[in-house]
Amino acid sequence: MIHCAIVGSGWSAGRHARVLRRVDRSEVVRVVVEPGQPTRLPAVFGSPRVTDRLDDALTDPDVDAVIVCTPPDTHLDIAEAVLRAGKHLVIEKPVGLRPERIPALERLAAERGLTVMVPYHFRFVPQLRTLHERVRTGEFGAVAHAYHRMYSLRDREGAWLWDDSRSGGIIMESLVHGIDQIMWMLDERPSAVTAMTHPGRNQVADAATVLLRFPSGAVGTVEGSWISDAHIPFGSLDIVGTAGSAAFDRGRFDKRYFRTESAAADAPETRVEVLDDDDAGFVGLHEHFAECCASGKPPRAAGLGEAHAAALVAALAVEAARSGRQLPVTGLPPEAP
């Protein structure tokens, strides 16, 4: 059994707690709340010990792993402290607002034999894993365009969102998810990036479009906003190739699901798959995390190297939006074998 501590008590922390109740090999034994926050938690957390001191979790011999669900500006320092304490780590995306610090975390985890994963949970959704394999084997021909959309409701919690030094804006905090998903789906790293943003509250970017150019000639579009309403579709991923196409749909805010529809260019029949389990990807990720913690094997997906690449591209997209220029993508970590 992997005994976990969750750092944070907001929406993301609650989702991890809910998911872990479905994972046989993991359980939440501690929650670390922000100092001054209530220690009475929603029922979804179960009955863990609650503290407002990170050190209480890091020095607890009963804690095997720590799940970090705090604002992005805190991620890197907490992650380093977790690894130095000898605990396995799940760290919410983005890993940090300074991607150049991520390689040091990779080295520290490797030196101490610790498992680190980032919740790019789409990599563990069954339909998307199948779709990824179909793209990889060329079923849709050469990919011309990949399009990812991700919206959030305008009443999202957290004043930290509207502080650029804490959230990094929508590209770093949210659209990094789509950047990772397109790179994974295409098995390719972009060669150039450009972006445009809308300045929202406190001039923090709350809507954006990111354009990615890949060496193969494919174009990727990642877009979304923090100011959407419930009737707007929640999210999607489209893949358009020379021999066919596929559409992945996340449903709406009050009815989330995973649905893929695909067809060859020369055939009228479409292939449809639906999964009414919005937590399926998170469950798969945490099951794999527990397996890796127990076995010492490296994660097959959503490791620090891949998260580092996504964070670097997102940071370049932020700079491209500020400068109004297309920027070359350089300095990415090598892809996993």
Side-chain angles (χ1 to χ4, degrees):
M1 182 68 70
I2 304 300
H3 299 118
C4 301
I6 297 178
V7 184
S9 57
W11 182 88
S12 178
R15 186 176 196 184
H16 281 279
R18 181 179 75 235
V19 164
L20 284 168
R21 297 173 79 168
R22 295 175 54 182
V23 179
D24 291 338
R25 300 175 66 179
S26 299
E27 67 173 331
V28 179
V29 297
R30 270 192 181 273
V31 173
V32 182
V33 301
E34 186 177 353
Q37 291 296 309
T39 56
R40 287 181 58 85
L41 298 173
V44 69
F45 284 90
S47 302
R49 288 167 288 164
V50 182
T51 179
D52 62 1
R53 287 169 35 88
L54 177 62
D55 281 351
D56 289 343
L58 300 187
T59 58
D60 187 342
D62 292 335
V63 171
D64 304 306
V66 177
I67 302 165
V68 179
C69 303
T70 55
D73 65 310
T74 66
H75 286 182
L76 290 164
D77 289 342
I78 294 176
E80 182 176 352
V82 168
L83 295 175
R84 291 196 181 283
K87 312 293 188 184
H88 302 289
L89 172 66
V90 172
I91 180 166
E92 266 293 351
K93 52 80 189 165
V95 176
L97 301 183
R98 295 177 56 192
E100 69 275 9
R101 286 184 56 187
I102 297 175
L105 296 181
E106 293 182 80
R107 291 192 294 271
L108 184 57
E111 290 167 2
R112 306 205 171 195
L114 298 170
T115 298
V116 183
M117 291 185 68
V118 181
Y120 287 119
H121 57 95
F122 289 117
R123 293 168 176 253
F124 292 87
V125 174
Q127 286 100 322
L128 286 178
R129 291 183 64 81
T130 300
L131 180 59
H132 173 251
E133 181 65 14
R134 295 169 68 194
V135 172
R136 189 189 68 81
T137 57
E139 181 176 334
F140 303 110
V143 175
H145 185 222
Y147 169 74
H148 183 277
R149 178 178 64 187
M150 185 176 186
Y151 288 150
S152 297
L153 293 174
R154 66 177 71 246
D155 58 354
R156 281 189 67 184
E157 65 181 37
W160 58 268
L161 279 171
W162 307 105
D163 182 340
D164 202 52
S165 67
R166 300 203 67 194
S167 70
I170 189 171
I171 293 176
M172 288 299 297
E173 200 276 338
S174 298
L175 299 192
V176 67
H177 224 320
I179 290 169
D180 174 80
Q181 194 173 353
I182 287 180
M183 290 196 300
W184 169 62
M185 193 61 67
L186 271 56
D187 277 328
E188 194 173 15
R189 305 283 179 79
S191 56
V193 61
T194 190
M196 292 178 287
T197 59
H198 172 264
R201 193 188 314 172
N202 300 327
Q203 296 299 299
V204 175
D206 61 4
T209 296
V210 177
L211 297 177
L212 305 170
R213 167 68 72 182
F214 291 87
S216 65
V219 176
T221 304
V222 181
E223 61 185 21
S225 84
W226 288 341
I227 50 173
S228 299
D229 296 299
H231 59 278
I232 301 293
F234 177 57
S236 62
L237 171 70
D238 299 333
I239 301 293
V240 178
T242 56
S245 58
F248 167 66
D249 174 24
R250 287 292 311 279
R252 295 178 182 267
F253 288 96
D254 59 351
K255 177 59 176 175
R256 298 187 187 186
Y257 51 78
F258 298 108
R259 182 182 188 276
T260 55
E261 185 170 356
S262 58
D266 58 357
E269 300 84 6
T270 59
R271 171 175 168 180
V272 178
E273 298 175 81
V274 179
L275 176 63
D276 284 316
D277 182 0
D278 190 54
D279 287 333
F282 268 99
V283 171
L285 183 140
H286 272 296
E287 287 176 341
H288 187 56
F289 177 71
E291 175 190 343
C292 292
C293 291
S295 69
K297 296 180 180 178
R300 66 171 182 265
L304 269 180
E306 295 158 326
H308 182 201
L312 280 170
V313 174
L316 280 171
V318 171
E319 179 57 30
R322 288 174 178 162
S323 66
R325 296 185 294 122
Q326 176 176 289
L327 298 178
V329 177
T330 59
L332 295 183
E335 296 189 59

